[in-house]
Amino acid sequence: MTERRFGPVRFLPGPNRGKYPHCHSIYVEGAGLLIDPGSDRGRLQRLRAAEGVREVWLSHWHEDHIAHLDLFDDLPLRMSRQDAPMLTDVEAFLDGYGMQRPDFRRHWRGLMESEFHFRPRVPAGFLTGGEALRRGPVTIEVLHTPGHTPGHLAFHFREPDVLFMG
């Protein structure tokens, strides 16, 4: 897959067509907004260095969508209030999956730290379904779309009329 632009909204494809353990990311030019930093790590590092990412949003808390969040530890993070507890520490993350068996927890704890670069995070703020937020040249409607996770969010970029479902 190739990177695509929809006005100021840039689609950043993840390796293997964004299939697990990767995902796709969105970058809003002029706003410095990055959504779901789980695509290509090298591409995200170059984006940060060259374009000045200023804020990160998450559609939800799963590991493939936070895989490179560590690159942006110093930036404000926003996500749904319902999904935020899973990022407070790796044990809460594993609890979010309902993982009970000690051997599974041990295995996934190691994967979360080595493969998905997990670091505890507390959001700077929360995104709520029904909000319409202006970021740079676009208005973004936040849509609460529970099911995949309790706080899952999708984002509608009004001006280019693009929906990112995460």
Side-chain angles (χ1 to χ4, degrees):
M1 296 185 89
T2 59
E3 197 167 297
R4 295 189 57 197
R5 292 175 190 260
F6 303 90
V9 178
R10 193 182 315 167
F11 171 78
L12 307 174
N16 193 29
R17 300 180 58 79
K19 293 178 185 169
Y20 190 87
H22 309 284
C23 77
H24 301 305
S25 301
I26 294 290
Y27 181 69
V28 181
E29 297 172 353
L33 172 61
L34 177 64
I35 299 176
D36 286 355
S39 61
D40 182 75
R41 189 171 182 87
R43 177 65 183 105
L44 294 174
Q45 288 171 320
R46 291 189 304 278
L47 182 75
R48 169 115 197 208
E51 309 227 14
V53 178
R54 295 188 299 273
E55 182 177 18
V56 178
W57 290 5
L58 295 179
S59 64
H60 65 290
W61 62 272
H62 287 160
E63 66 274 12
D64 50 330
H65 291 256
I66 66 164
H68 310 301
L69 184 58
D70 65 301
L71 298 173
F72 307 96
D73 277 348
D74 60 321
L75 299 180
L77 171 67
R78 300 191 195 297
M79 63 187 298
S80 70
R81 185 178 301 277
Q82 297 96 322
D83 283 2
M86 275 56 87
L87 295 188
T88 58
D89 68 42
V90 73
E91 297 305 318
F93 189 93
L94 300 175
D95 289 344
Y97 274 120
M99 203 173 292
Q100 299 295 319
R101 288 181 45 178
D103 56 331
F104 285 4
R105 290 181 77 90
R106 188 172 34 260
H107 174 77
W108 274 95
R109 191 178 302 112
L111 281 177
M112 289 307 302
E113 293 168 359
S114 66
E115 301 299 317
F116 296 102
H117 315 284
F118 184 89
R119 293 185 189 162
R121 287 292 300 265
V122 174
F126 299 105
L127 300 168
T128 304
E131 287 183 294
L133 304 168
R134 187 80 181 167
R135 289 295 187 272
V138 298
T139 302
I140 306 164
E141 291 178 66
V142 178
L143 307 170
H144 183 220
T145 54
H148 188 58
T149 67
H152 190 276
L153 302 172
F155 304 102
H156 177 237
F157 301 90
R158 285 184 184 167
E159 289 73 16
D161 198 22
V162 170
L163 177 66
F164 179 67
M165 298 185 332

